[in-house]
Amino acid sequence: MLQWSDLKREKNFIAGEWVDAAGGVTVPVVDPSTGEQIGTVPNAGATETRRAIDAAAAAFEDYRELTAAERAKMLRDLSTAIMDHQAPLAELLTREQGKPLAEAKGEVGMSAAYILWFAEEARRIYGDVVPSPWKQRRILVTKEPVGVVAAITPWNFPSSMLARKIGPALAAGCTVVAKPAMQTPYSGLAWGVLAEQAGIPAGVLNIVTGSARDIGGELTSNSLVRKLTFTGSTPVGKLLLRQCADSVKKVSMELGGNAPFIVFDDADLDRAVEGAIAAKFRNAGQTCVCTNRVYVQSGIYDRFVKAFADATLKLVVGSGFDAGVTQGPLIDDDAVSKVEEFVADAVSKGGRIVTGGKRHARGGLFFEPTVIAQATASMKFAREEIFGPLAPVFRFETEDEVVRAANDTEYGLACYFYTGDLGRAMRVSEKLEYGLVGINEGLITTEVAPFGGYKESGVGREGSKYGIEDYLQVKYTCIGGLGA
Ligand code: NAP
């Protein structure tokens, strides 16, 4: 079995070869927990990206001809290779991203699960035979791979965000050029090692690291690329959508969120607290589905705030490698400063810090798990994505009021609410303008269900039976001359 240091590749993966950027220029990679440099990766640009696209386009010719069973077998082998290396992949992930090792193992397990799911879906890309309006003609509808896929992913889930793209792309018969985030490139480059292990043909998966603008510019303007799948912030997603317009690419966008977490008076308090802790503090609050706004009905507000703050105090901040740690560092100093700004803004407008509220005593990029009560709509975090371990708790009186407040955002990714009333559960879930709804559950992501947002949280769905559709195009074939 390979160790984490064998999986940590300091080169790009193009046409089945490990290569440097032109001139051997590199960029350092830093462990956010210690601030120490852990290595470098190539600083590639448009030239290397063009080479990767050409390799993917060449590989597509043969790869698309494989049978569904052959593609499924490769993906099953890829899933097995991931699980065989779950521990070292998790170690690599924690080293570059900082999350607790148990969470990293969970993420790697999710990657394997997504790949396995799409191995199964590869054999279910069905078409239709449509009843013909003409006696002498037949109508066939078939699905074909879109072609070369560009995939750009963020640092918060550096392994599983790629799994949700590589899985359906390869299952559909597409080839891929991936660009992982520069703060966590090693978990992305490790997919090259895993592809080698699974016997995936050279050029089917290519991975480049370097200048986001130059790589992104080439990926979006090159007409050989027929689809862009992006996970990241809404502003960058909008920019890439504009860039894709000139060559009219198919696009999938998994963008930012501003998840409400609503607790009604009739909720099970302990369950709601447990769900809020999971929905807020996983990955130090740095997930797109992390709750950004906790709304609690006035009859249960004080009891909830106390129980939630008590549970928050039990979180253990430290290096992701230390036993018992539940919250690692934030990704960089900008992220820490942003949380500090949210706290200062809230306090200046009447917010009350119940627990936490400042940088952690251990210094570096660690921040105290924080709960702020008396949150109001005028505070910045009501509108902006926090992406850190800060939970603002808002008070509300009525169902209509809280549904209005929850929907009062341009985002629409995940939302959660807790109630013991079945009628309310159905009513509220139907009114919430979100792609994912957790009722009495705070962690709901699974490869078998569709993941994706309404409004400015995105376009398309990942995972589930819907996830493969974004990598396929529909062909109508009319067969005529079949006789009178
Ligand atoms: P980001 O700044 O948008 O970066 C995401 C990726 O885009 C990175 O690989 C980044 O490269 C690249 N990028 C940045 N500027 C680019 C450009 N001009 N052209 C091409 N690529 C460009 O987002 P982030 O800070 O990494 O991630 C956090 C965001 O992702 C949050 O908003 C979160 O909600 C969202 N997210 C959404 C989902 C979802 O499924 N909806 C899941 C996870 C995260 P560099 O690293 O080199 O800058």
Side-chain angles (χ1 to χ4, degrees):
M1 189 178 78
L2 301 172
Q3 300 305 306
W4 75 270
S5 47
D6 307 316
L7 290 160
K8 178 181 150 245
R9 293 299 170 97
E10 298 197 312
K11 290 179 188 289
N12 284 177
F13 188 61
I14 300 178
E17 295 186 350
W18 292 97
V19 294
D20 289 316
V25 191
T26 60
V27 185
V29 182
V30 171
D31 177 345
S33 211
T34 61
E36 283 166 18
Q37 183 174 329
I38 50 176
T40 62
V41 289
N43 190 15
T47 308
E48 296 83 353
T49 306
R50 215 168 298 131
R51 205 175 314 135
I53 294 169
D54 289 342
F60 180 61
E61 297 306 317
D62 288 337
Y63 187 68
R64 67 176 305 174
E65 298 298 329
L66 295 186
T67 64
E70 286 167 332
R71 295 196 305 274
K73 159 106 178 49
M74 272 180 208
L75 286 169
R76 280 200 306 277
D77 290 348
L78 182 58
S79 174
T80 303
I82 297 168
M83 287 314 283
D84 285 349
H85 296 94
Q86 187 178 20
L89 284 167
E91 193 172 337
L92 183 65
L93 204 166
T94 292
R95 214 164 279 276
E96 63 179 353
Q97 203 275 341
K99 68 178 63 175
L101 199 54
E103 281 189 32
K105 273 196 186 131
E107 181 181 339
V108 172
M110 274 307 284
S111 293
Y114 274 108
I115 297 295
L116 187 58
W117 171 266
F118 285 110
E120 293 156 352
E121 289 300 284
R123 303 200 301 149
R124 300 193 189 104
I125 301 171
Y126 301 135
D128 303 296
V129 179
V130 179
S132 171
W134 307 289
K135 274 195 176 152
Q136 69 283 31
R137 300 188 211 170
R138 297 293 177 271
I139 294 176
L140 302 187
V141 179
T142 51
K143 293 184 181 171
E144 298 184 343
V146 288
V148 175
V149 170
I152 301 180
T153 50
W155 49 264
N156 62 342
F157 288 95
S159 173
S160 63
M161 293 301 108
L162 274 170
R164 300 206 306 206
K165 302 179 185 316
I166 293 169
L170 268 54
C174 300
T175 55
V176 176
V177 178
K179 190 213 89 65
M182 278 310 270
Q183 282 161 317
T184 56
Y186 292 129
S187 297
L189 289 165
W191 281 94
V193 185
L194 298 164
E196 284 177 327
Q197 296 242 326
I200 290 171
V204 170
L205 174 62
N206 307 273
I207 307 155
V208 288
T209 57
S211 158
R213 231 186 26 193
D214 295 351
I215 296 172
E218 184 62 31
L219 289 175
T220 50
S221 62
N222 192 311
S223 57
L224 289 174
V225 175
R226 290 317 317 152
K227 176 187 169 72
L228 171 73
T229 169
F230 171 74
T231 299
S233 62
T234 295
V236 175
K238 287 181 183 178
L239 175 79
L240 294 173
L241 275 170
R242 282 194 285 271
Q243 289 180 198
C244 282
D246 278 344
S247 50
V248 192
K249 296 190 200 315
K250 200 168 167 105
V251 289
S252 302
M253 293 277 150
E254 293 287 348
L255 308 177
N258 180 0
F261 185 104
I262 305 166
V263 185
F264 288 99
D265 281 344
D266 57 21
D268 175 333
L269 179 66
D270 293 341
R271 196 177 172 87
V273 167
E274 195 186 324
I277 292 285
K280 177 70 245 182
F281 293 104
R282 189 167 62 113
N283 200 9
Q286 304 171 113
T287 88
C288 51
V289 292
C290 268
T291 179
N292 214 56
R293 299 168 286 155
V294 183
Y295 291 99
V296 184
Q297 204 161 11
S298 55
I300 202 176
Y301 187 90
D302 292 338
R303 279 191 296 138
F304 177 88
V305 168
K306 178 166 185 337
F308 185 40
D310 288 349
T312 302
L313 283 170
K314 293 192 186 123
L315 295 171
V316 182
V317 177
S319 158
F321 288 110
D322 291 349
V325 162
T326 48
Q327 185 187 299
L330 300 197
I331 192 68
D332 57 24
D333 204 58
D334 283 352
V336 182
S337 302
K338 197 170 154 208
V339 180
E340 280 184 318
E341 264 176 55
F342 282 127
V343 172
D345 170 72
V347 169
S348 76
K349 293 172 182 163
R352 178 171 66 85
I353 298 173
V354 187
T355 179
K358 56 185 188 308
R359 286 175 186 254
H360 194 273
R362 59 178 297 151
L365 302 177
F366 295 92
F367 201 88
E368 292 176 345
T370 298
V371 175
I372 292 190
Q374 290 157 21
T376 63
S378 68
M379 297 173 187
K380 274 189 185 171
F381 44 49
R383 308 219 68 85
E384 294 175 34
E385 198 175 20
I386 299 170
F387 240 58
L390 159 60
V393 191
F394 301 71
R395 184 191 291 268
F396 74 91
E397 301 294 335
T398 68
E399 192 178 298
D400 283 350
E401 173 198 348
V402 78
V403 167
R404 244 191 334 272
N407 286 337
D408 184 20
T409 166
E410 65 272 27
Y411 294 107
L413 188 55
C415 64
Y416 312 87
F417 67 93
Y418 282 66
T419 178
D421 177 335
L422 184 59
R424 167 175 277 160
M426 295 313 297
R427 261 194 325 269
V428 172
S429 86
E430 285 164 10
K431 284 184 190 151
L432 288 170
E433 297 161 356
Y434 288 84
L436 282 72
V437 183
I439 304 177
N440 297 329
E441 289 295 341
L443 280 185
I444 61 171
T445 306
T446 160
E447 75 279 8
V448 309
F451 189 104
Y454 283 16
K455 293 152 85 176
E456 293 190 19
S457 284
V459 178
R461 291 294 179 271
E462 292 193 324
S464 81
K465 68 170 182 174
Y466 303 101
I468 202 158
E469 297 295 333
D470 280 342
Y471 296 81
L472 295 166
Q473 49 199 349
V474 173
K475 180 173 278 178
Y476 155 43
T477 305
C478 179
I479 309 168
L482 299 180

